[in-house]
Amino acid sequence: MNNKIINLNNGRSALDLGIKILSLKKGTKILVPEIICDVAIKVFLRNNLKVIYYKLNSKFEPIWSDLYKKKYSDVSCILMVHFFGYPQNIKKFKYFSKKQKIFLIEDNCHSLNLKIEKISLGNNGDIGVDSPRKIFNDLYSGGRLFINKELNYKFEKLIKYQPNILSRYKKIIKK
């Protein structure tokens, strides 16, 4: 199976579907930066996840020493946010999530199609979420979910989401 991209109505729909694809157990914990959009928190709570906040420094990067102090029983994943389009240390997040045996969710809702050193933001976690409507003024809706090919999931068993046709978005991206 290849990496999969699914277009949806908005970023929160993409995040919600991504969580369902990860098949997280009810009551497990998700590590989330202490500064985060309330919409994301509502999605996590709606999926019966317990939110555990991790500290950030003045550059909106994790304070890794704080993260390594946390106890990881019942932690299922960590959220990596590229705040305002500034990339996080993807290698460090991948190493951390692999070492802790947890999923990595990449939030790229503040940027779109950015490449840093040949690495595309939004395509590095187990799932990744974009929200092109935040970037393009002429879009009233739009979300994108990246699903890593290494995930073993059965898409047909999921709740049927209504993908949004992003014809204007696709035209802009092709330019």
Side-chain angles (χ1 to χ4, degrees), residues 142-159:
R144 175 187 164 277
L145 173 65
F146 164 84
I147 306 166
N148 190 305
K149 64 184 174 189
E150 295 176 15
L151 282 181
N152 185 15
Y153 68 96
K154 303 231 184 303
F155 188 73
E156 60 276 358
K157 288 187 176 182
L158 295 170
I159 296 170

Side-chain angles (χ1 to χ4, degrees), residues 36-127:
I36 188 68
C37 174
D38 65 331
V39 171
I41 299 300
K42 288 176 186 175
V43 171
F44 299 139
L45 295 177
R46 194 170 45 245
N47 282 281
N48 297 304
L49 300 175
K50 292 183 180 177
V51 176
I52 306 296
Y53 294 98
Y54 62 84
K55 295 179 183 177
L56 300 172
N57 64 23
S58 62
K59 294 180 180 179
F60 297 99
E61 300 165 335
I63 299 175
W64 291 102
S65 59
D66 178 61
L67 266 172
Y68 278 105
K69 287 179 189 175
K70 295 195 181 299
K71 295 184 181 182
Y72 291 99
S73 60
D74 295 329
V75 171
S76 57
C77 50
I78 185 168
L79 180 68
M80 169 178 61
V81 180
H82 301 297
F83 291 100
F84 313 111
Y86 291 100
Q88 290 289 335
N89 186 329
I90 295 167
K91 288 180 183 177
K92 230 175 188 177
F93 268 98
K94 286 177 120 175
Y95 174 80
F96 179 83
S97 61
K98 189 172 186 174
K99 183 174 182 180
Q100 302 301 329
K101 298 179 183 170
I102 59 178
F103 292 112
L104 175 59
I105 299 174
E106 185 176 10
D107 180 337
N108 190 43
C109 289
H110 291 168
S111 67
L112 187 63
N113 275 2
L114 278 180
K115 284 191 178 181
I116 309 297
E117 298 176 6
K118 298 183 182 180
I119 297 173
S120 294
L121 299 186
N123 300 333
N124 302 286
D126 293 293
I127 63 168

